[in-house]
Amino acid sequence: MGGFFKSSIGRKVAMALSAFFLMFFLVQHLSINILSVFNPDLFNEVSHFMGTNPLVQFLLQPVLIFGVVFHFVMGFILELKNNTARKVSYVKTNGASNSTWMSRNMIYSGIAILAFIILHFIDFWFPEINTKFINGDWSGTMEGVEGFRYHEELTHKFHSHTRTIAYVIAFVFLALHLLHGFTSAFQSMGGTAGRKKTLQNIGKAYSIIIPIGFIFVALYHHLKYVLE
Ligand code: HEM
């Protein structure tokens, strides 16, 4: 196993596998968040299920957190190794001919997303862990709110202009990161020439639709608050 991660190709495959896992998470995360717009009651029900189900809390959630950390750490290692392996820079990396701007800047869009995740955890994840694991309150309710509290908490976060703008900027970086990442992951997993075009198109569609979905959720809640 150590040998696998020490080889450049091993690291790239590990990077691609963790990326696919996280992309799968993004689909489910967006699906649930979209409910907060179209069906608040269902959003509350699903959030309560996810937030209290032992399988989700004690198995899926730790696996997800591990996946996020693994992808970041591995990304930094890949970047460092690539830079040291290339003591003399490529002659032709300055044109669009053999590398796109984004492919050389995965690390920057990655850092922007890392900054977002930290902000996002402070906004949602830490308070949730605090309520359940520190205060021991698994009821999903709060004083002054009828029914479950999740929809109220989510919409409250998007009252702030600054937070909404920061989130939207982060989702644009997410789109850029996904656009290159998707193509690159397929390359590492050895996509064949014939299927490659279709897969790349699916990748492009995914990379644009998912971040637009998140932007829609953030802007919807913000505008609803501002215009009301
Ligand atoms: C409008 C956009 C978004 C909203 C409203 C939103 C909302 C939330 C909420 C309410 C939670 C807390 C779940 C809990 O643990 O109880 C959460 C957790 C989390 N979010 Fe988001 N999220 C958004 C976008 C994103 C994006 C784009 C990413 C990744 C790039 C992301 C990654 C995560 C992760 C990793 C967690 C912790 C895992 C978990 O326990 O669910 N989120 N989000």
Side-chain angles (χ1 to χ4, degrees), residues 69-91:
V69 173
F70 179 90
H71 191 72
F72 278 124
V73 172
M74 214 59 187
F76 278 113
I77 294 177
L78 261 176
E79 173 71 15
L80 285 178
K81 295 272 175 193
N82 285 348
N83 284 345
T84 42
R86 198 195 312 139
K87 287 230 165 51
V88 180
S89 6
Y90 291 131
V91 183

mmCIF file of all heavy atoms in Angstrom, residues 69-91:
data_model
loop_
_atom_site.group_PDB
_atom_site.id
_atom_site.type_symbol
_atom_site.label_atom_id
_atom_site.label_comp_id
_atom_site.label_asym_id
_atom_site.label_seq_id
_atom_site.Cartn_x
_atom_site.Cartn_y
_atom_site.Cartn_z
ATOM 1 N N VAL A 69 -10.489 15.303 3.808
ATOM 2 C CA VAL A 69 -9.118 15.549 4.289
ATOM 3 C C VAL A 69 -8.103 14.839 3.381
ATOM 4 O O VAL A 69 -7.095 15.422 2.979
ATOM 5 C CB VAL A 69 -8.961 15.084 5.762
ATOM 6 C CG1 VAL A 69 -7.509 15.181 6.211
ATOM 7 C CG2 VAL A 69 -9.856 15.920 6.670
ATOM 8 N N PHE A 70 -8.417 13.595 3.035
ATOM 9 C CA PHE A 70 -7.524 12.815 2.176
ATOM 10 C C PHE A 70 -7.282 13.530 0.844
ATOM 11 O O PHE A 70 -6.149 13.647 0.378
ATOM 12 C CB PHE A 70 -8.140 11.428 1.921
ATOM 13 C CG PHE A 70 -7.308 10.549 1.017
ATOM 14 C CD1 PHE A 70 -6.336 9.708 1.552
ATOM 15 C CD2 PHE A 70 -7.476 10.564 -0.369
ATOM 16 C CE1 PHE A 70 -5.560 8.901 0.733
ATOM 17 C CE2 PHE A 70 -6.705 9.762 -1.194
ATOM 18 C CZ PHE A 70 -5.749 8.927 -0.639
ATOM 19 N N HIS A 71 -8.363 14.022 0.237
ATOM 20 C CA HIS A 71 -8.272 14.684 -1.073
ATOM 21 C C HIS A 71 -7.401 15.942 -0.984
ATOM 22 O O HIS A 71 -6.576 16.188 -1.859
ATOM 23 C CB HIS A 71 -9.681 15.027 -1.563
ATOM 24 C CG HIS A 71 -9.737 15.473 -2.989
ATOM 25 N ND1 HIS A 71 -9.562 14.607 -4.046
ATOM 26 C CD2 HIS A 71 -9.956 16.690 -3.547
ATOM 27 C CE1 HIS A 71 -9.660 15.280 -5.181
ATOM 28 N NE2 HIS A 71 -9.899 16.553 -4.915
ATOM 29 N N PHE A 72 -7.569 16.714 0.081
ATOM 30 C CA PHE A 72 -6.763 17.926 0.251
ATOM 31 C C PHE A 72 -5.295 17.581 0.468
ATOM 32 O O PHE A 72 -4.417 18.130 -0.206
ATOM 33 C CB PHE A 72 -7.261 18.769 1.435
ATOM 34 C CG PHE A 72 -8.436 19.629 1.078
ATOM 35 C CD1 PHE A 72 -9.622 19.545 1.781
ATOM 36 C CD2 PHE A 72 -8.345 20.531 0.026
ATOM 37 C CE1 PHE A 72 -10.708 20.333 1.449
ATOM 38 C CE2 PHE A 72 -9.427 21.325 -0.316
ATOM 39 C CZ PHE A 72 -10.608 21.219 0.399
ATOM 40 N N VAL A 73 -5.033 16.646 1.416
ATOM 41 C CA VAL A 73 -3.641 16.307 1.741
ATOM 42 C C VAL A 73 -2.942 15.739 0.511
ATOM 43 O O VAL A 73 -1.834 16.142 0.144
ATOM 44 C CB VAL A 73 -3.601 15.315 2.931
ATOM 45 C CG1 VAL A 73 -2.188 14.796 3.150
ATOM 46 C CG2 VAL A 73 -4.111 15.997 4.190
ATOM 47 N N MET A 74 -3.636 14.818 -0.175
ATOM 48 C CA MET A 74 -3.065 14.185 -1.368
ATOM 49 C C MET A 74 -2.824 15.226 -2.473
ATOM 50 O O MET A 74 -1.818 15.163 -3.177
ATOM 51 C CB MET A 74 -4.059 13.126 -1.861
ATOM 52 C CG MET A 74 -3.433 11.929 -2.465
ATOM 53 S SD MET A 74 -2.339 11.123 -1.296
ATOM 54 C CE MET A 74 -1.648 9.920 -2.365
ATOM 55 N N GLY A 75 -3.741 16.170 -2.602
ATOM 56 C CA GLY A 75 -3.602 17.240 -3.598
ATOM 57 C C GLY A 75 -2.358 18.075 -3.338
ATOM 58 O O GLY A 75 -1.602 18.378 -4.260
ATOM 59 N N PHE A 76 -2.118 18.408 -2.060
ATOM 60 C CA PHE A 76 -0.931 19.191 -1.705
ATOM 61 C C PHE A 76 0.333 18.382 -1.990
ATOM 62 O O PHE A 76 1.313 18.916 -2.510
ATOM 63 C CB PHE A 76 -0.976 19.618 -0.232
ATOM 64 C CG PHE A 76 -1.818 20.835 -0.008
ATOM 65 C CD1 PHE A 76 -3.003 20.770 0.719
ATOM 66 C CD2 PHE A 76 -1.434 22.067 -0.541
ATOM 67 C CE1 PHE A 76 -3.796 21.893 0.910
ATOM 68 C CE2 PHE A 76 -2.213 23.201 -0.347
ATOM 69 C CZ PHE A 76 -3.400 23.117 0.372
ATOM 70 N N ILE A 77 0.310 17.092 -1.637
ATOM 71 C CA ILE A 77 1.498 16.252 -1.870
ATOM 72 C C ILE A 77 1.793 16.168 -3.370
ATOM 73 O O ILE A 77 2.929 16.344 -3.803
ATOM 74 C CB ILE A 77 1.296 14.836 -1.270
ATOM 75 C CG1 ILE A 77 1.204 14.929 0.255
ATOM 76 C CG2 ILE A 77 2.428 13.902 -1.679
ATOM 77 C CD1 ILE A 77 0.934 13.626 0.962
ATOM 78 N N LEU A 78 0.734 15.947 -4.167
ATOM 79 C CA LEU A 78 0.917 15.864 -5.628
ATOM 80 C C LEU A 78 1.536 17.138 -6.170
ATOM 81 O O LEU A 78 2.455 17.105 -6.981
ATOM 82 C CB LEU A 78 -0.444 15.651 -6.304
ATOM 83 C CG LEU A 78 -0.808 14.237 -6.715
ATOM 84 C CD1 LEU A 78 -2.216 14.192 -7.264
ATOM 85 C CD2 LEU A 78 0.166 13.696 -7.751
ATOM 86 N N GLU A 79 1.016 18.268 -5.697
ATOM 87 C CA GLU A 79 1.509 19.565 -6.146
ATOM 88 C C GLU A 79 2.986 19.736 -5.789
ATOM 89 O O GLU A 79 3.795 20.138 -6.624
ATOM 90 C CB GLU A 79 0.653 20.675 -5.505
ATOM 91 C CG GLU A 79 1.122 22.095 -5.739
ATOM 92 C CD GLU A 79 0.933 22.581 -7.177
ATOM 93 O OE1 GLU A 79 0.180 21.930 -7.924
ATOM 94 O OE2 GLU A 79 1.554 23.603 -7.531
ATOM 95 N N LEU A 80 3.324 19.397 -4.532
ATOM 96 C CA LEU A 80 4.715 19.524 -4.086
ATOM 97 C C LEU A 80 5.633 18.633 -4.905
ATOM 98 O O LEU A 80 6.684 19.044 -5.370
ATOM 99 C CB LEU A 80 4.841 19.141 -2.604
ATOM 100 C CG LEU A 80 4.319 20.155 -1.598
ATOM 101 C CD1 LEU A 80 4.462 19.614 -0.180
ATOM 102 C CD2 LEU A 80 5.094 21.474 -1.723
ATOM 103 N N LYS A 81 5.216 17.365 -5.109
ATOM 104 C CA LYS A 81 6.038 16.403 -5.856
ATOM 105 C C LYS A 81 6.208 16.864 -7.298
ATOM 106 O O LYS A 81 7.286 16.758 -7.865
ATOM 107 C CB LYS A 81 5.391 15.013 -5.846
ATOM 108 C CG LYS A 81 5.309 14.395 -4.486
ATOM 109 C CD LYS A 81 6.573 13.617 -4.147
ATOM 110 C CE LYS A 81 6.475 13.115 -2.710
ATOM 111 N NZ LYS A 81 7.711 12.614 -2.174
ATOM 112 N N ASN A 82 5.127 17.367 -7.880
ATOM 113 C CA ASN A 82 5.210 17.824 -9.269
ATOM 114 C C ASN A 82 6.203 18.970 -9.398
ATOM 115 O O ASN A 82 6.958 19.034 -10.354
ATOM 116 C CB ASN A 82 3.849 18.291 -9.778
ATOM 117 C CG ASN A 82 2.946 17.118 -10.076
ATOM 118 O OD1 ASN A 82 3.420 15.979 -10.114
ATOM 119 N ND2 ASN A 82 1.669 17.369 -10.254
ATOM 120 N N ASN A 83 6.193 19.866 -8.412
ATOM 121 C CA ASN A 83 7.097 21.011 -8.470
ATOM 122 C C ASN A 83 8.546 20.610 -8.284
ATOM 123 O O ASN A 83 9.423 21.137 -8.948
ATOM 124 C CB ASN A 83 6.713 22.060 -7.427
ATOM 125 C CG ASN A 83 5.482 22.836 -7.861
ATOM 126 O OD1 ASN A 83 5.107 22.778 -9.036
ATOM 127 N ND2 ASN A 83 4.860 23.527 -6.945
ATOM 128 N N THR A 84 8.801 19.644 -7.356
ATOM 129 C CA THR A 84 10.197 19.269 -7.122
ATOM 130 C C THR A 84 10.708 18.363 -8.238
ATOM 131 O O THR A 84 11.877 18.416 -8.586
ATOM 132 C CB THR A 84 10.385 18.574 -5.756
ATOM 133 O OG1 THR A 84 9.316 17.669 -5.577
ATOM 134 C CG2 THR A 84 10.436 19.578 -4.628
ATOM 135 N N ALA A 85 9.817 17.545 -8.817
ATOM 136 C CA ALA A 85 10.246 16.651 -9.899
ATOM 137 C C ALA A 85 10.656 17.472 -11.113
ATOM 138 O O ALA A 85 11.488 17.059 -11.912
ATOM 139 C CB ALA A 85 9.118 15.697 -10.275
ATOM 140 N N ARG A 86 10.045 18.668 -11.227
ATOM 141 C CA ARG A 86 10.280 19.490 -12.401
ATOM 142 C C ARG A 86 11.201 20.646 -12.028
ATOM 143 O O ARG A 86 10.790 21.792 -11.957
ATOM 144 C CB ARG A 86 8.911 20.005 -12.883
ATOM 145 C CG ARG A 86 8.876 20.507 -14.291
ATOM 146 C CD ARG A 86 7.615 21.318 -14.524
ATOM 147 N NE ARG A 86 6.379 20.688 -14.055
ATOM 148 C CZ ARG A 86 5.418 21.357 -13.443
ATOM 149 N NH1 ARG A 86 5.530 22.640 -13.189
ATOM 150 N NH2 ARG A 86 4.330 20.734 -13.060
ATOM 151 N N LYS A 87 12.481 20.304 -11.708
ATOM 152 C CA LYS A 87 13.436 21.352 -11.282
ATOM 153 C C LYS A 87 13.596 22.396 -12.385
ATOM 154 O O LYS A 87 13.640 23.588 -12.149
ATOM 155 C CB LYS A 87 14.785 20.721 -10.951
ATOM 156 C CG LYS A 87 14.776 19.954 -9.648
ATOM 157 C CD LYS A 87 15.936 20.357 -8.750
ATOM 158 C CE LYS A 87 15.759 19.902 -7.325
ATOM 159 N NZ LYS A 87 15.439 18.465 -7.197
ATOM 160 N N VAL A 88 13.686 21.892 -13.634
ATOM 161 C CA VAL A 88 13.736 22.808 -14.764
ATOM 162 C C VAL A 88 12.324 22.830 -15.334
ATOM 163 O O VAL A 88 11.782 21.788 -15.677
ATOM 164 C CB VAL A 88 14.716 22.287 -15.841
ATOM 165 C CG1 VAL A 88 14.770 23.234 -17.030
ATOM 166 C CG2 VAL A 88 16.092 22.079 -15.235
ATOM 167 N N SER A 89 11.717 24.013 -15.380
ATOM 168 C CA SER A 89 10.317 24.039 -15.823
ATOM 169 C C SER A 89 10.198 23.648 -17.290
ATOM 170 O O SER A 89 11.138 23.805 -18.064
ATOM 171 C CB SER A 89 9.683 25.404 -15.605
ATOM 172 O OG SER A 89 10.599 26.325 -15.169
ATOM 173 N N TYR A 90 9.006 23.125 -17.608
ATOM 174 C CA TYR A 90 8.749 22.750 -18.997
ATOM 175 C C TYR A 90 8.967 23.949 -19.897
ATOM 176 O O TYR A 90 8.659 25.083 -19.516
ATOM 177 C CB TYR A 90 7.299 22.282 -19.171
ATOM 178 C CG TYR A 90 6.995 20.975 -18.500
ATOM 179 C CD1 TYR A 90 5.871 20.846 -17.692
ATOM 180 C CD2 TYR A 90 7.819 19.867 -18.683
ATOM 181 C CE1 TYR A 90 5.572 19.652 -17.077
ATOM 182 C CE2 TYR A 90 7.516 18.660 -18.069
ATOM 183 C CZ TYR A 90 6.410 18.561 -17.257
ATOM 184 O OH TYR A 90 6.116 17.375 -16.663
ATOM 185 N N VAL A 91 9.465 23.691 -21.101
ATOM 186 C CA VAL A 91 9.705 24.797 -22.033
ATOM 187 C C VAL A 91 8.375 25.387 -22.475
ATOM 188 O O VAL A 91 8.232 26.580 -22.645
ATOM 189 C CB VAL A 91 10.485 24.283 -23.260
ATOM 190 C CG1 VAL A 91 10.809 25.441 -24.205
ATOM 191 C CG2 VAL A 91 11.764 23.600 -22.816
#
